[in-house]
């Protein structure tokens, strides 16, 4: 009897612990507090400006800036998995940085690089640390590019940092710039509405398949280390499960302001609901995708765990499909 009771108590505690982890809700205010550097920029939000490339100097610095842009546009040619020099194979897929950071990192609301240099170092909830710009770049290398980190002392890391530095000219530390990051889609909708992957497939078939393929395979350019005309959205050569694009809300925000081609934040093509549904369809478990090692260590502080951070078998499916209101703290 004592043994049965012990087992029952342990089981109850296990179940209790499982649900207790869901009680802690994402608190956006905490992230803002942890990013407090003791200084607040008092100016108005700045206009989004892309520097004129003719101003890049003809010197060593200019050469580094130009190489940084080249890496963003043609990542696969220099550090991709098919380059001849095996020591330079840092990326694990044949995507480019601009597969997500559109227009070489200059398109508004596609997580552009314009004006972001002064935002680093910054608090990163996924790692629960204060991260540098190089940390952020390597986060993309290990997740979206499914590869390994660039050495901080490498020419490639210095070039990417130089390019972002150049794109951020004239933007003071702490200043807000219109068009940076992603434009958040209707957060009231996602709090009470569950995404529908069946409807998402219908959206995909009409608006996405012609470029990204019926099976998300993309359209690959001929030859080795030559990337894609249109990148794959799932499969072995796509981003892994640790990437931001694997998260429903992140993908939804990106899609709404940028997809299909021709869409902008000011003139979207998809509705909020369509972007929501196709985002969840794109990242279904049935769609093959590389795993990210040690992903269970992401978001160690539950209070700042993104509401759409999801690991199959560990997290509730609601963190994939919604509704997401149950995971978000309402700050008054």
């Amino acid at each position: 009897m004592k043994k049965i009771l012990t087992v029952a108590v342990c089981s109850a505690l296990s179940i209790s612990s499982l649900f207790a982890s869901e009680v802690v809700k994402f608190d956006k205010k905490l992230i803002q507090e942890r990013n407090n550097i003791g200084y607040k920029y008092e100016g108005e939000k700045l206009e989004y400006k892309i520097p004129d490339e003719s101003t890049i100097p003809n010197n060593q610095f200019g050469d580094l800036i130009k190489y940084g842009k080249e890496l963003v546009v043609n990542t696969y040619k220099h550090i991709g998995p098919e380059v001849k020099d095996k020591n330079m194979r840092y990326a694990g897929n044949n995507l480019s940085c601009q597969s997500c950071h559109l227009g070489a990192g200059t398109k508004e609301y596609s997580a552009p690089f314009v004006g972001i240099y002064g935002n680093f170092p910054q608090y990163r909830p996924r790692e629960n640390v204060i991260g540098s710009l190089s940390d952020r770049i390597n986060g993309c290398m290990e997740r979206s590019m499914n590869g390994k980190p660039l050495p901080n002392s490498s020419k490639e890391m210095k070039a990417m940092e130089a390019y972002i530095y150049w794109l951020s000219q004239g933007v003071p530390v702490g200043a807000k710039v219109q068009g940076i990051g992603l434009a958040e889609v209707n957060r009231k909708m996602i709090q009470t509405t569950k995404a529908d992957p069946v409807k998402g497939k219908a959206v995909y078939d009409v608006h996405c398949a012609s470029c990204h393929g019926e099976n998300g395979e993309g359209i690959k350019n001929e030859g080795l280390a030559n990337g894609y005309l249109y990148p794959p959205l799932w499969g072995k050569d796509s981003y892994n499960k640790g990437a931001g694009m694997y998260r429903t809300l992140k993908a939804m925000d990106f899609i709404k302001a940028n997809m299909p081609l021709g869409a902008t934040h000011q003139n979207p093509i998809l509705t909020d609901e369509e972007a929501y549904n196709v985002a969840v369809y794109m990242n279904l478990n049935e769609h093959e995708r590389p795993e990210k090692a040690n992903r269970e260590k992401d978001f160690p502080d539950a209070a700042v765990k993104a509401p759409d951070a999801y690991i199959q078998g560990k997290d509730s499916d609601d963190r994939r499909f919604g509704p997401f209101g149950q995971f978000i703290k309402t700050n008054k």
Side-chain angles (χ1 to χ4, degrees), residues 60-277:
Q60 188 178 10
F61 208 137
D63 291 343
L64 201 61
I65 293 168
K66 292 173 185 175
Y67 183 47
K69 180 183 178 182
E70 170 65 16
L71 283 169
V72 170
V73 174
N74 296 309
T75 319
Y76 42 80
K77 286 184 182 294
H78 303 279
I79 56 174
E82 296 175 351
V83 297
K84 288 184 179 180
D85 185 350
K86 293 183 179 180
N87 292 323
M88 292 300 292
R89 293 177 179 176
Y90 288 98
N93 58 36
N94 286 287
L95 304 183
S96 69
C97 297
Q98 73 167 3
S99 295
C100 294
H101 306 281
L102 303 179
T106 66
K107 185 177 186 291
E108 293 177 80
Y109 297 110
S110 68
F113 303 145
V114 176
I116 69 166
Y117 190 85
N119 291 342
F120 293 89
Q122 65 177 208
Y123 172 70
R124 301 292 302 165
R126 187 170 60 194
E127 294 79 20
N128 198 32
V129 299
I130 305 300
S132 64
L133 177 57
S134 60
D135 292 332
R136 186 69 188 88
I137 291 170
N138 274 333
C140 282
M141 287 300 302
E142 293 184 85
R143 295 168 185 269
S144 297
M145 304 304 295
N146 192 37
K148 59 186 180 181
L150 290 168
N152 286 345
S153 60
S154 67
K155 179 183 177 182
E156 286 67 34
M157 178 61 79
K158 291 178 180 178
M160 286 190 181
E161 289 182 320
Y163 178 55
I164 293 171
Y165 179 74
W166 178 78
L167 283 173
S168 302
Q169 57 187 268
V171 179
V173 171
K176 301 294 183 183
V177 180
Q178 296 176 15
I180 66 170
L182 300 173
E184 287 193 349
V185 174
N186 189 339
R187 285 308 188 253
K188 288 185 178 179
M189 176 191 72
I190 62 96
Q191 290 194 37
T192 58
T193 305
K194 190 170 186 173
D196 186 339
V198 175
K199 291 182 179 179
K201 184 182 186 308
V203 173
Y204 184 88
D205 289 344
V206 172
H207 293 284
C208 314
S210 59
C211 291
H212 296 290
E214 183 180 344
N215 297 306
E217 70 275 17
I219 299 177
K220 201 170 190 298
N221 295 317
E222 292 185 6
L224 293 176
N226 205 25
Y228 285 84
L229 178 62
Y230 299 110
L233 299 182
W234 61 87
K236 294 180 180 179
D237 211 27
S238 189
Y239 56 87
N240 69 36
K241 293 181 180 180
M245 201 65 78
Y246 183 63
R247 289 164 41 194
T248 298
L249 301 184
K250 281 280 188 184
M252 172 186 71
D253 291 341
F254 175 84
I255 290 166
K256 177 67 189 297
N258 297 288
M259 292 291 139
L261 285 178
T264 65
H265 172 57
Q266 294 79 13
N267 295 291
I269 293 173
L270 302 181
T271 65
D272 290 353
E273 184 182 3
E274 287 172 331
Y276 189 32
N277 290 332

Side-chain angles (χ1 to χ4, degrees), residues 24-36:
V24 182
K25 295 187 176 184
F26 170 73
D27 190 347
K28 189 174 183 179
K29 198 172 182 180
L30 269 181
I31 297 177
Q32 295 169 345
E33 291 173 358
R34 293 175 187 182
N35 261 319
N36 179 10

